[in-house]
Amino acid sequence: MSAQQTPGAGALAGLTLIELEGIGPAPMAAMLLADMGATVLRIQRRDPVAQGIQREPRFNLLLRNRTSIELDLKRPESAALVLDLVENADALIEGFRPGVMERLGLGPDACLARNPRLVYGRVTGWGQTGPLALSAGHDINYLAITGALEAIGRQGQPPTPPLALLGDFAGGGLYLALGILAALIERARSGLGQVVDAAMVDGVASLSTAFHGLAAAGVWRAERGTNLIDSGAPFYDVYACRDGRYVSVGPLEAKFFKTLLTLLELPAELAAWQSDRARWPALREQLAHAFAGRSREEWTARLEGTDACFAPVLSFDEAPNHPHLRARGTFAEVDGIAQPAPAPRLSRSTAPPITPVAAPLRGTTALAALGRWLPPDALERARAQGLFE
């Protein structure tokens, strides 16, 4: 990594990373690092395999901010080229099942032999070891065995899958990025790279640490939808408005709950019901009836910005236009697509501008892009072998 920083280049300017094509957590981690200024080269399959949710490539926003090339990794010459690239990389990201990279000749042993300073990032659902390591699975399965899925949902209803936010992107992608950065910091002391084994089951379990503590203390009920912050409490929930849209409220503290009651024009004596579980069903009816009397926008005008702990429930389409998010620049429009801006924000090392998802480079264009990664003889060898034709 370079010690020099160019204004607007990002905190990770100078960091170079190879990303092997994958879905979910692997491209998420690569995007997070690229958003902070890392130079990422994504290697895609020559013959695409249908994975994940299919859409036009420009809408696969996790692939922004990097250059892509296509290789047939089953060709020994292509694998040899990847090893050439690894020599000059700080880190590598891959999300295949355990053993796939080894069979391609690109496992940790081969890569670290070429570059002992390499941080080799691996992300899977079950992890590199354990009896389920070689089994197929998806986000919902990884949540299921950690206890997290069982806890999410309403009382008397089945568990509710929380999109892929918790397993793929938080437990997988975020933890992979964290592990890579931790290994890079350690490398500054030891001079050596290492392997990062980011398993979604481990990440989700880690994210659940506080809840395991609450359960052990006997203050978290095993029955979902009966606790303070899982829709069990009527003052921490969503409510339907007159127009069929929803609002969220979460005044856990007594003083904030009193503020909500005042703004809803409900009797002040209801404040005592907050600490009386026996009265929660009746309190929920009172709140539901009140919110049903006005539209979401009317409640937003009345409650937003107060200490009632209120926010309207917005759709993905609506969120970029919320005044607070507009003021902060939480979303950006790139290539005509509204998308989240890089996060978190650093006071000095501002993130570089977002570059839109681009098609993989081919032919001489691909070779030219690899000029910053490879010496001339390796480029000439790749050209003579027709790896990008």
Side-chain angles (χ1 to χ4, degrees), residues 13 35 49 60 85 117 136 142 236 251-252 266 275 328 361 378:
D35 280 355
V49 176
N60 191 353
L85 292 168
R117 292 174 54 83
Y142 314 136
Y236 196 92
L252 295 172
L266 289 173
S275 58
R328 284 186 56 79
L361 301 178

Side-chain angles (χ1 to χ4, degrees), residues 34-330:
D35 280 355
M36 291 293 168
T39 298
V40 178
L41 177 66
R42 177 177 168 88
I43 298 174
Q44 299 187 184
R45 295 178 177 87
R46 175 63 59 85
D47 298 314
V49 176
Q51 296 184 96
I53 300 173
Q54 300 302 299
R55 69 276 206 195
E56 186 181 339
R58 64 186 287 262
F59 294 106
N60 191 353
L61 300 180
L62 295 180
L63 305 186
R64 69 191 189 189
N65 284 342
R66 51 213 193 257
T67 300
S68 297
I69 61 172
E70 290 182 339
L71 285 174
D72 179 3
L73 292 179
K74 294 181 180 179
R75 289 185 60 181
E77 299 90 346
S78 294
L81 178 65
V82 174
L83 289 175
D84 289 339
L85 292 168
V86 160
E87 280 195 26
N88 297 302
D90 290 298
L92 178 146
I93 285 177
E94 65 95 0
F96 296 116
R97 287 200 212 186
V100 170
M101 289 290 282
E102 285 82 353
R103 289 194 292 275
L104 293 171
L106 297 172
D109 290 346
C111 288
L112 287 167
R114 290 290 289 268
N115 179 2
R117 292 174 54 83
L118 181 75
V119 173
Y120 192 107
R122 321 190 80 169
V123 61
T124 57
W126 307 114
Q128 296 296 315
T129 60
L132 295 177
L134 299 180
S135 303
H138 276 295
D139 186 286
I140 191 171
N141 310 123
Y142 314 136
L143 298 186
I145 70 165
T146 63
L149 184 59
E150 169 68 19
I152 300 172
R154 294 191 173 274
Q155 185 180 21
Q157 298 295 318
T160 301
L163 305 182
L165 292 172
L166 190 52
D168 278 355
F169 300 134
L174 276 172
Y175 274 76
L176 175 59
L178 173 64
I180 288 172
L181 294 176
L184 288 170
I185 292 171
E186 191 280 335
R187 188 183 72 178
R189 297 193 298 269
S190 68
L192 296 173
Q194 58 186 305
V195 179
V196 178
D197 175 7
M200 283 178 250
V201 292
D202 296 347
V204 172
S206 176
L207 290 166
S208 306
T209 299
F211 295 99
H212 281 276
L214 292 171
V219 295
W220 185 267
R221 299 184 175 193
E223 184 183 5
R224 63 182 158 273
T226 64
N227 294 284
L228 196 63
I229 55 174
D230 66 351
S231 77
F235 44 87
Y236 196 92
D237 208 344
V238 296
Y239 287 93
C241 302
R242 186 175 60 199
D243 55 1
R245 295 181 175 182
Y246 291 86
V247 295
S248 69
V249 291
L252 295 172
E253 298 79 8
K255 63 178 181 179
F256 298 150
F257 184 56
K258 290 177 181 178
T259 299
L260 177 64
L261 292 176
T262 298
L263 293 171
L264 293 180
E265 299 177 349
L266 289 173
E269 54 265 28
L270 294 183
W273 295 14
Q274 186 179 27
S275 58
D276 185 353
R277 276 183 173 267
R279 291 186 175 271
W280 280 7
L283 178 57
R284 186 180 298 278
E285 290 181 5
Q286 292 270 3
L287 293 173
H289 180 75
F291 281 115
R294 299 186 186 190
S295 70
R296 186 189 70 179
E297 299 313 311
E298 288 173 321
W299 284 122
T300 299
R302 184 174 180 83
L303 298 175
E304 193 168 55
T306 72
D307 282 347
C309 300
F310 165 93
V313 177
L314 303 182
S315 68
F316 288 132
D317 288 338
E318 293 173 312
N321 294 315
H322 188 278
H324 181 79
L325 302 184
R326 282 207 312 268
R328 284 186 56 79
T330 301

